[in-house]
Amino acid sequence: MTGTTENDSEPTRVVGTGPEDGPALSSTTEDTPAAPGWLEPEVDAAFATLNLSTAELSRYRDSYLDCLAGVPRTTDLDTGHDACRLGLLRALKNGFTLDDAVWRAFGEKLETIESELTSDL
C-alpha cells in the first residue's frame, strides 16, 4: 500500500501487519519443546516401580517430562538430563519415604531412559 505525504510528492510505503509479516500467534508447526512418543510410556513404567499413587506422582512426572523436553539441543544433553533427574529425585525424596534401594533402581531406570533419549535426538 502506498500513499503521499503533504511535504513530499514521493509515495510512502505503508507497512502492513498481515500474513506477510509472519503469524501473530504461534502455530503447531513452530518449534516448541517436545519429546518423542515413546518417552512417556517408558517414564510411566519407571514411575510405576515406586508403587505410589499415580495421582500423587502426576505433577512430578509431568514436570520431569517437561524438563527433558525443554533441554536445549545446543547444550550438553547429558548434563541437562542429569539436572532433570536429580531435581526430580530431590523433590520426590522430600515428598515420599522409600527405601534407598528403590530410589537407586528408579534413578538407574531414568538414566537408561535418558541415554536412549539422547541417542534418539
Side-chain angles (χ1 to χ4, degrees):
M1 183 173 200
T2 60
T4 59
T5 61
E6 290 180 32
N7 298 336
D8 193 355
S9 60
E10 298 259 340
T12 57
R13 179 106 172 112
V14 177
V15 179
T17 57
E20 69 277 5
D21 296 324
L25 302 172
S26 63
S27 73
T28 57
T29 59
E30 291 186 21
D31 290 334
T32 57
W38 61 263
L39 183 63
E40 284 190 49
E42 292 291 323
V43 169
D44 289 342
F47 272 85
T49 65
L50 297 176
N51 293 323
L52 296 170
S53 163
T54 305
E56 290 178 306
L57 294 175
S58 65
R59 70 184 178 112
Y60 297 100
R61 173 202 172 272
D62 294 345
S63 178
Y64 177 66
L65 287 168
D66 288 344
C67 184
L68 290 178
V71 174
R73 304 301 184 248
T74 57
T75 63
D76 179 21
L77 293 175
D78 291 330
T79 301
H81 294 162
D82 287 348
C84 294
R85 182 181 65 262
L86 295 175
L88 170 67
L89 288 171
R90 190 176 322 110
L92 285 171
K93 287 178 180 180
N94 285 335
F96 303 96
T97 302
L98 296 173
D99 188 70
D100 284 341
V102 174
W103 290 126
R104 216 173 4 265
F106 179 65
E108 289 170 3
K109 178 64 177 166
L110 295 179
E111 283 184 73
T112 301
I113 292 169
E114 293 163 10
S115 177
E116 293 172 21
L117 178 60
T118 299
S119 67
D120 193 37
L121 297 177

